[in-house]
Amino acid sequence: MTPSPSPGSVPPAEPVEPTGPTGPAGPVKPVEPIEPAEPVDSLVQHTTDNDVLWITLNRPAAMNAVTWDQREHIIGLLADASADPDVRAVVLTATGKGFCAGADLRGSPSTGERVAGDVARMIRRGAQRFIGAVLDCEKPVIAAVNGTAAGIGAHLALACDLVLAAESARFIEVFVRRGLVPDGGGAYLLPRLIGPQRAKELMFFGDAVPAAEAERLGLVNRVVPDGELAKTAREWAERLAAGPTRALALTKQLVNASLDADRATAFAAEATAQEINMTTADAQEGVASFVERRGPAYRGR
């Protein structure tokens, strides 16, 4: 579901029916409103295993539509992951049939009567801050998309550094179905992934994109059978966690910044990043292991 411009007029979370790649938007079947009675720690589960932080959306009855509390909790977890030397990679996934059906703004702080500027402020502080937390996380973030990713849920996945999708997953730019402009960084992310014309096609029509088509377009890195999603995500994440953590962080920053920079700026940033990286223990270990003809043993330092 797509976030409404007004926190007081948010409809219940909805699964979105799939459509063909160029057909009209399909019908929407609403589910019963789900009010989160459980603490946020149960709705957003997190655990660290083998230096990998697993963040799991756990509100399957609502297709993992994200509430205000969940969003703030995830932002905090990603910020903590950046600062925690014992976290060297992050996996973002979900339970049930949906990855994330969008934003559910019920329960967000009330601002009283809406005035000019409130909507833009809400988007900046909410959806954009949410997506920015993924883009700015200093550890590599993998999305393991187990099902429908719609609206801000699609952008949450696409903001990750690597995207794995189960065969049953699908991506939907659902905003147009509600008469809304894409938010949460959609108009920034999609053109950089698949080009402006393809991005406009997805945003103008709001059609569901099956996992195989998403892979062909370049929205995801790899599609795997549903039963192998967690296993593949673990393999990828643990491989990243065994790598030179600060070098990966700097590489992430370079790639993200290069999309908005001219060549001179990008080259200068690259040189500065390498200068910084050469002060790390992992860089020195990488060079030493090459000279000594052995495998490196990175410690994330």
Side-chain angles (χ1 to χ4, degrees):
M1 130 179 188
T2 312
S4 164
S6 170
S9 61
V10 178
E14 302 169 337
V16 187
E17 292 299 308
T19 65
T22 58
V28 171
K29 296 180 180 179
V31 297
E32 290 299 316
I34 303 294
E35 294 297 336
E38 299 176 83
V40 70
D41 274 344
S42 67
L43 299 176
V44 179
Q45 299 174 344
H46 59 95
T47 185
T48 302
D49 183 32
N50 287 338
D51 298 324
V52 178
L53 171 64
W54 290 76
I55 301 175
T56 304
L57 301 177
N58 186 39
R59 200 178 171 222
M63 297 285 283
N64 293 305
V66 177
T67 65
W68 185 90
D69 285 343
Q70 288 175 288
R71 184 194 74 203
E72 294 302 306
H73 192 49
I74 294 169
I75 290 172
L77 288 172
L78 291 168
D80 290 345
S82 290
D84 188 347
D86 293 326
V87 173
R88 298 173 64 185
V90 179
V91 176
L92 187 57
T93 190
T95 60
K97 297 182 179 180
F99 174 74
C100 178
D104 184 346
L105 301 186
R106 292 169 297 173
S108 60
S110 175
T111 57
E113 183 179 357
R114 193 173 75 200
V115 299
D118 279 353
V119 173
R121 191 176 304 106
M122 181 186 71
I123 296 300
R124 288 195 301 270
R125 293 179 177 177
Q128 291 177 351
R129 207 167 120 259
F130 190 31
I131 299 307
V134 179
L135 293 170
D136 295 338
C137 182
E138 295 179 30
K139 308 298 167 65
V141 183
I142 297 174
V145 183
N146 55 297
T148 298
I152 191 68
H155 301 166
L156 179 63
L158 300 179
C160 292
D161 302 302
L162 300 171
V163 183
L164 293 169
E167 289 177 340
S168 62
R170 54 193 181 144
F171 300 80
I172 311 173
E173 284 297 317
V174 74
F175 296 88
V176 70
R177 299 189 186 186
R178 312 290 190 268
L180 300 177
V181 172
D183 62 38
Y188 175 86
L189 293 167
L190 261 73
R192 286 163 170 75
L193 290 169
I194 59 176
Q197 289 181 316
R198 289 289 193 185
K200 290 172 189 174
E201 179 182 345
L202 299 188
M203 292 179 171
F204 287 0
F205 292 116
D207 295 329
V209 179
E213 177 69 4
E215 183 181 32
R216 187 187 71 80
L217 290 173
L219 290 173
V220 307
N221 293 87
R222 188 172 302 177
V223 176
V224 298
D226 286 25
E228 296 182 13
L229 180 64
K231 174 177 177 289
T232 305
R234 182 174 297 278
E235 290 172 351
W236 282 33
E238 291 184 353
R239 184 176 176 185
L240 290 170
T245 306
R246 293 308 303 166
L248 292 176
L250 289 165
T251 301
K252 173 176 179 172
Q253 293 173 11
L254 283 174
V255 173
N256 288 350
S258 74
L259 299 172
D260 301 308
D262 56 41
R263 186 180 69 179
T265 302
F267 276 25
E270 176 185 86
T272 300
Q274 193 69 289
E275 176 78 21
I276 294 170
N277 185 64
M278 286 305 297
T279 67
T280 67
D282 279 350
Q284 295 171 37
E285 165 63 11
V287 173
S289 65
F290 174 77
V291 172
E292 296 166 11
R293 298 185 179 181
R294 58 174 174 81
Y298 298 122
R299 298 185 297 111
R301 303 292 195 274

